[in-house]
Amino acid sequence: MASISSLTTVHKVIDDLFFEHQRALLHFDFEKALHLLAAQESTLLSQMADEESILLPVYEERGEFPDAGAPKLYYDDHKKMRSYIELFKQSTSKIATEADIDRALLNLLDREAFYLRLCSHHDRRESEYLYPILDTILSESEKSELLGRVALRGETR
């Protein structure tokens, strides 16, 4: 039986890559941190693209959702998340040249903590509204067809 909710497994991949990025930051391995951030970004952007081009249009058209699950919230979160990742790439790439590396690192980690709260809230909204509602309104063949078009299901590229 096909399940749109199974797509939440990619969140663990994204979270694990970001955790490894932060671990590299803590070890002052900024090149590795930047590489891991790029891998996380690639996976995240692919997942967002799938949601925006495949899942959300169907959800908007056919779903009955509460205000807390409104499609605009997903798009807005994605925009904010993309913006944060750009900021983190810039900060990580120049952190080694900062006069006070410790202060710069703590500032970056503070921003990343806020980003992680945003991601957690976003993932919870997907798990409570987007994916279950799609599972409810779609037939088995529709679910299979949509899942066949989704690039990521928890595997990395």
Side-chain angles (χ1 to χ4, degrees):
M1 184 161 96
S3 170
I4 301 296
S5 294
S6 69
L7 295 175
T8 60
T9 59
V10 76
H11 295 165
K12 179 162 176 24
V13 173
I14 292 167
D15 293 346
D16 288 349
L17 285 166
F18 199 77
F19 175 79
E20 291 302 323
H21 152 77
Q22 289 190 308
R23 183 192 310 247
L25 286 174
L26 289 174
H27 292 278
F28 295 88
D29 189 345
F30 303 124
E31 185 175 321
K32 181 177 180 180
L34 195 57
H35 173 75
L36 287 161
L37 186 59
Q40 187 263 357
E41 177 189 37
S42 174
T43 307
L44 178 67
L45 292 179
S46 181
Q47 190 247 356
M48 287 178 181
D50 286 343
E51 286 180 0
E52 292 176 0
S53 66
I54 299 168
L55 303 178
L56 283 167
V58 174
Y59 180 75
E60 286 177 283
E61 180 182 313
R62 294 177 47 195
E64 291 185 25
F65 39 81
D67 290 343
K72 181 180 179 345
L73 296 174
Y74 298 99
Y75 292 111
D76 290 348
D77 285 351
H78 288 176
K79 183 178 178 182
K80 290 175 195 171
M81 292 160 77
R82 286 181 188 102
S83 176
Y84 274 111
I85 294 297
E86 282 304 312
L87 172 70
F88 300 156
K89 289 188 323 190
Q90 292 171 10
S91 297
T92 302
S93 67
K94 69 179 186 174
I95 200 167
T97 63
E98 295 288 334
D100 187 346
I101 292 176
D102 290 343
R103 184 176 305 278
L105 178 57
L106 288 172
N107 285 335
L108 175 57
L109 290 172
D110 280 344
R111 287 187 177 120
E112 288 186 353
F114 184 81
Y115 166 80
L116 288 172
R117 285 190 298 277
L118 169 66
C119 292
S120 175
H121 185 74
H122 177 80
D123 291 352
R124 188 170 48 255
R125 188 181 301 119
E126 288 178 350
S127 297
E128 291 177 3
Y129 303 112
L130 176 63
Y131 296 159
I133 289 172
L134 286 172
D135 275 329
T136 301
I137 64 173
L138 297 172
S139 69
E140 285 301 313
S141 62
E142 289 172 319
K143 286 186 240 183
S144 293
E145 190 272 328
L146 286 179
L147 288 169
R149 293 173 45 207
V150 170
L152 296 177
R153 289 193 189 86
E155 64 275 6
T156 56
R157 286 193 160 180

